[in-house]
Amino acid sequence: MADSKTIGILTSGGDCAGLNAVIRAVAHRAIEGYGWRVLGIHQGTSGLMQRPMDYEELSLKIFTGNILRLGGTILGTINKGDPFAYPMPDGSLMDRSGEIIEGYRQLGLDALIVVGGDGSLDIARRIAQQGGLNLIGIPKTIDNDVGITENSIGFGTAVDVATEALDKLHPTAASHSRVMLLEVMGRDAGHIALAAGISGGADVILMPEIPYTMEGVARKIESIREGGRNFALVVVAEAVKNEVGETVSVTDSEGRKRHGGIGYHLGARISDMTGAETRVTVLGHIQRGGTPSPRDRLFASAFGVRAVDLIAEGKFDRMVAWTSRHVIDVPLEDAISANQVVDPNGTLANTARGLGIYIGE
Ligand code: F6P
């Protein structure tokens, strides 16, 4: 058996399906495989910032139930409060990264696994560099925009949810002779829109990566009508801009601007230009919740096991990634700096064009 170690795991950034599966995989490999202690840090890095610290020792007992199948994260997460510019009650911003480093040391951690998207992994890496912490990253995000890896945990489930939404919109669109527009998440990447749009039989897919015109959208809908079909399905990624290049956003309860609302704008424009009765569905956080798909559970399990093995091998500042049917590990810095959006000339964009889907000009 390898030397006894204590490792930490935290989930950071927006939640997604499959996070509990990865926590379970890490716990199994570390506790059962190596005889180590595993501390689950609550609420992302903020669990290490709080005093007393907010964490729990993970025992395999908690994983005998439904956790593999459960959406969300049993550890909690946050996607605000940059530790390098942490908003204080008096309105000032404070660098609290040192408190996280101190927390890591107080818990006696030999390594920390951070399950996050590129934003969270970047912050975790800066903290680890500053404090000399042993860090391993695991990619998760429904947006699937983390560099190098073909898949991030949560993406597949989000695509399943969005595809199922199209499956449900299809019959009601046909019954009422309507254009049904579905707005999906993805931040600045159109991966969910493209994958779900192809899988769900969309007629139009708009993504932030590919410019479009309203004339192009209207032409497609009119040609569908001319071909004798009385309805259409349109998928729009949340970060698509309006025709004049303006970002459409909503202000959340904390006063922050978030993507959202472009669907309503485009729905009204489609209706104006084609005369088609149009309805808009904004799918929202439904894409992040629910039971993880089997594929997400597989990625989560493979990533979790490999992350612990990397610690056993003494390899740090790495991120696990999925490529060509394998789990590999890559320098964390390379993954963070290689943010992946939709390739306008990639296989899926060309597949959509080949199917006659309007994806822009
Ligand atoms: O990054 C994941 C994501 O779900 C994006 O697709 C979306 O734009 C954003 O998070 C929503 O964030 P929040 O949960 O803060 O509303």
Side-chain angles (χ1 to χ4, degrees), residues 14-15 79 141-143 185-187 192 238 252 256 258-259 285 288:
D15 75 332
N79 64 354
T141 167
I142 64 165
D143 308 336
M185 282 185 165
R187 221 176 277 266
I192 299 175
E238 62 179 359
D252 66 22
R256 293 181 310 166
R258 293 181 21 236
H259 291 307
H285 291 78
R288 297 228 303 246

Side-chain angles (χ1 to χ4, degrees), residues 19-20 23 56 85 112 133 149 165 173 199 215 260 275 282 327:
L19 293 177
N20 291 321
I23 298 165
E56 64 188 294
L112 178 64
L133 315 185
T149 188
S199 310
E215 288 70 29
V282 178
V327 61

